Amino acid sequence: MEKIIAVEGLKKSFGRLEVLKNVSCDFAAGGVVSILGPNASGKTTLIKSILGMVLPDSGSILFKGKSILNTFDYKRHIGYMPQIGHYPDNMQIGQLFKMVMDIRQQDAVDTDLLKAYQLEGMYHKTMRTLSGGTLQKVSAALAFMFSPDVLILDEPSAGLDPLAADALKEKILAERANGKLVLITSHILSEADEISDHILYLFEGKIKFYKTLPDLKMETGEQKLSRALTQLLSLSSC
Ligand SMILES: Nc1ncnc2c1ncn2[C@@H]1O[C@H](COP(=O)(O)OP(=O)(O)OP(=O)(O)O)[C@@H](O)[C@H]1O
């Protein structure tokens, strides 16, 4: 499989707090990688570094073989769904979508989630009036809108109702089948179990393990990701 993202020796501190401690990992096309780990283990910092939103202290990140340092163009190939979307308060949903298309100078090429979430019927609603879940639907629709090679989803189903979360899961699996790389941070192990090809487990800023889901289950003799993790983590007593 083609390596899309290569992270090498990444270190990041905020003040005296070392958040990423020499993290190295590669991500290939056509797969779902769940980035798991306790609160504050560095998951969001890792994905924000890949997105160029956090500047690492040292180490490198290559996107399709080229360093992302001081470049913006690679971001056209990434769809990002933040943990909490921040949008102009008084902007309507329809205006937001139009603005994003104008900035990219490109029309939407993938409207699956827009339709699944019936967002077209809410184009007149202003962002400040939206419920948390509707805001998440807007963020999800935006992330997939231009059919990017890579999707980075930060706790995507937090706040979504079960049907909306299911629609997102189906969409993720469809895009994976189309050869896309999907990186997801999550605390919902049952979901990660259903859709992941690989599990990357971060603990205190270090990669504890990065394995395929079948390997994890085989090594532990467990059928469920939650039980496999419990066993692996208690063995290593973290
Ligand atoms: N901009 C920042 N300034 C200072 N500290 C930060 C900043 N961003 C993150 N941190 C700290 O870095 C640590 C890791 O944060 P991060 O958001 O990467 O964790 P996470 O694994 O995504 O956590 P969670 O599961 O709670 O979302 C936390 O202690 C957090 O407070």
Side-chain angles (χ1 to χ4, degrees):
M1 272 295 176
E2 182 201 356
K3 190 193 292 182
I4 298 197
I5 298 170
V7 174
E8 184 61 44
L10 211 62
K11 293 186 184 174
K12 177 68 188 175
S13 296
F14 292 109
R16 273 197 246 155
L17 181 69
E18 279 184 87
V19 177
L20 295 177
K21 303 169 184 169
N22 206 15
V23 169
S24 300
C25 49
D26 295 340
F27 302 105
V32 177
V33 181
S34 285
I35 302 173
L36 308 180
N39 291 133
S41 53
K43 302 181 295 297
T44 298
T45 305
L46 174 60
I47 62 175
K48 282 192 173 172
S49 302
I50 293 170
L51 287 158
M53 295 163 71
V54 162
L55 190 64
D57 300 324
S58 58
S60 68
I61 301 173
L62 306 184
F63 189 87
K64 296 188 178 177
K66 287 187 189 154
S67 169
I68 66 163
L69 208 63
N70 302 320
T71 58
F72 296 94
D73 201 47
Y74 81 102
K75 293 185 195 178
R76 288 183 72 83
H77 305 288
I78 302 180
Y80 171 50
M81 181 176 172
Q83 230 173 65
I84 300 167
H86 294 287
Y87 304 103
D89 266 358
N90 292 320
M91 197 173 263
Q92 295 173 346
I93 296 182
Q95 291 172 331
L96 175 70
F97 286 156
K98 185 172 178 316
M99 182 186 77
V100 174
M101 287 183 237
D102 285 348
I103 290 169
R104 279 186 72 112
Q105 299 182 309
Q106 190 185 355
D107 281 337
V109 290
D110 185 340
T111 53
D112 286 354
L113 283 181
L114 231 130
K115 290 186 181 121
Y117 293 153
Q118 300 176 330
L119 290 175
E120 282 146 319
M122 300 185 210
Y123 272 8
H124 60 285
K125 292 197 174 181
T126 47
M127 302 310 294
R128 75 184 143 74
T129 66
L130 302 182
S131 70
T134 305
L135 206 61
Q136 283 291 87
K137 290 176 181 173
V138 169
S139 294
L142 280 172
F144 287 80
M145 189 171 270
F146 302 102
S147 193
D149 295 337
V150 178
L151 288 142
I152 298 186
L153 314 175
D154 200 353
E155 297 189 30
S157 55
L160 288 181
D161 65 59
L163 285 182
D166 211 51
L168 182 61
K169 188 184 83 186
E170 293 306 319
K171 184 65 187 155
I172 290 168
L173 291 176
E175 291 310 303
R176 166 187 178 247
N178 285 334
K180 307 291 176 68
L181 164 64
V182 189
L183 299 183
I184 303 179
T185 72
S186 180
H187 291 294
I188 307 175
L189 295 183
S190 56
E191 262 180 24
D193 205 352
E194 282 180 55
I195 58 174
S196 307
D197 297 292
H198 288 83
I199 303 292
L200 188 158
Y201 194 92
L202 271 180
F203 184 75
E204 294 182 351
K206 289 183 185 164
I207 296 180
K208 195 120 193 130
F209 51 82
Y210 182 19
K211 295 173 190 277
T212 70
L213 185 57
D215 278 355
L216 254 177
K217 291 182 176 177
M218 200 169 64
E219 280 172 29
T220 54
E222 298 286 358
Q223 297 298 311
K224 279 187 167 181
L225 171 63
S226 54
R227 294 181 70 94
L229 284 184
T230 307
Q231 201 186 115
L232 273 176
L233 298 173
S234 60
L235 278 178
S236 59
S237 67
C238 70

